[in-house]
Amino acid sequence: MKTLIDVYILPMLKSPAKADFAPLAGAIRRVAVFYAIGALAAFAQMRIMNIVSNGTLKRIRLNVFSHMESLPISYFDTHAHGDIMSIYTNDIDSLRQMIGMSIPQFVNSFITIVGVFLSMVVLSVPLTLVTIAMVGIMLFATKMCTGMSGRFFISQQKSLGRVNGYIEEMISGQKVIKVFCHEEAAIERFNELNEKLFEDASNANNFANRLGPINAQLGNTSYVVCAIVGGVLAISGISGLTLGGLASFLTFNKSFSMPI
């Protein structure tokens, strides 16, 4: 973007009568090629990660099932069957999200952060320092939100296993419940477990869902601050920052803060 503005667009604005759009069109075509390669790479990544994540979960399920075949009867007597089944469904599904989404996103973000940081340093050291200061505030907010939501997510998985185990026991022992007129007690106990799961899930997602809007607003604030400071630097000619350099830096500002 810096090259497009400083080398191609600004000279034509200064001399509109001699404007030649052929070099600009060639540069835009090169940019289009870059975006096309990026789109193909993103498609290939999604296909590869889909195969890798599902293949990994398949092996995990096989290992868990084989291990359970070797456990003594006492283990199954002391653990609800629904809680055991929850391992195969809910817990392994959480692993699928981590392998298929979280780990690739972490790798992508790390590569993006390193590349964009070096580019920002080349463009403007003062604006880079401003961006880093805002990122520090974002990291503090992230730490606070994830710290509060993390323990509730752990409690949510445990509560989910207890609910599934209780449902499985009540359904399999339904005739016994009917014979001893234990329906009301069973419903009351289920309501207690269900309420606990609701509270844990609500608290976990409450803190986790705040993280996106908080960081989005902090990212917007960082963008505005860099635009104001960069505008002053570009107009005054301090640190050699040009209009194209400022526009390019503002793009990097978004690309730097959001992956973090």
Side-chain angles (χ1 to χ4, degrees):
M1 187 177 294
K2 180 179 185 297
T3 304
L4 289 175
I5 294 176
D6 292 340
V7 177
Y8 297 103
I9 297 177
L10 288 181
M12 288 192 297
L13 293 177
K14 294 177 181 178
S15 302
K18 301 179 180 179
D20 183 9
F21 289 92
L24 177 60
I28 293 176
R29 283 194 294 268
R30 289 194 296 271
V31 174
V33 172
F34 297 153
Y35 277 104
I37 294 174
L40 292 174
F43 175 78
Q45 176 194 346
M46 294 300 296
R47 290 294 301 270
I48 292 172
M49 287 311 305
N50 185 39
I51 296 172
V52 170
S53 60
N54 285 286
T56 302
L57 295 180
K58 176 184 175 182
R59 290 192 295 271
I60 291 176
R61 283 191 294 267
L62 289 172
N63 291 335
V64 171
F65 188 81
S66 299
H67 178 68
M68 283 190 173
E69 289 293 295
S70 64
L71 293 175
I73 298 297
S74 59
Y75 175 83
F76 298 96
D77 291 338
T78 56
H79 291 77
H81 293 173
D83 193 11
I84 297 174
M85 290 302 300
S86 182
I87 296 174
Y88 288 93
T89 55
N90 300 298
D91 294 350
I92 292 183
D93 185 65
S94 297
L95 285 177
R96 179 189 63 79
Q97 295 180 14
M98 182 189 74
I99 297 172
M101 299 174 60
S102 299
I103 292 179
Q105 185 178 11
F106 174 80
V107 175
N108 289 343
S109 297
F110 178 78
I111 295 174
T112 300
I113 289 168
V114 173
V116 169
F117 176 76
L118 295 176
S119 301
M120 289 194 305
V121 171
V122 172
L123 287 172
S124 176
V125 175
L127 291 183
T128 302
L129 296 177
V130 174
T131 302
I132 292 176
M134 294 302 300
V135 166
I137 300 175
M138 295 175 67
L139 289 176
F140 176 76
T142 300
K143 182 180 179 181
M144 295 294 294
C145 290
T146 55
M148 289 184 288
S149 66
R151 63 177 184 271
F152 288 115
F153 271 114
I154 295 175
S155 183
Q156 172 188 324
Q157 290 300 107
K158 293 180 179 179
S159 297
L160 186 58
R162 284 192 289 266
V163 169
N164 289 339
Y166 188 78
I167 292 174
E168 193 275 338
E169 288 182 355
M170 294 302 103
I171 295 299
S172 61
Q174 190 174 19
K175 293 182 180 179
V176 178
I177 295 175
K178 290 288 187 180
V179 169
F180 290 95
C181 300
H182 201 69
E183 295 92 333
E184 294 299 327
I187 293 174
E188 183 178 352
R189 175 59 179 162
F190 174 78
N191 288 336
E192 293 176 2
L193 295 175
N194 196 29
E195 182 67 24
K196 182 65 168 61
L197 174 59
F198 162 75
E199 292 177 358
D200 292 335
S202 177
N203 288 326
N205 289 281
N206 185 24
F207 290 111
N209 291 337
R210 293 179 185 178
L211 186 58
I214 290 175
N215 280 337
Q217 294 306 315
L218 289 175
N220 292 335
T221 303
S222 175
Y223 186 91
V224 171
V225 171
C226 285
I228 295 174
V229 176
V232 173
L233 294 178
I235 292 174
S236 59
I238 302 175
S239 73
L241 184 65
T242 63
L243 181 60
L246 176 59
S248 182
F249 189 95
L250 291 177
T251 303
F252 286 136
N253 177 272
K254 282 287 187 182
S255 302
F256 185 72
S257 60
M258 295 315 295
I260 293 179

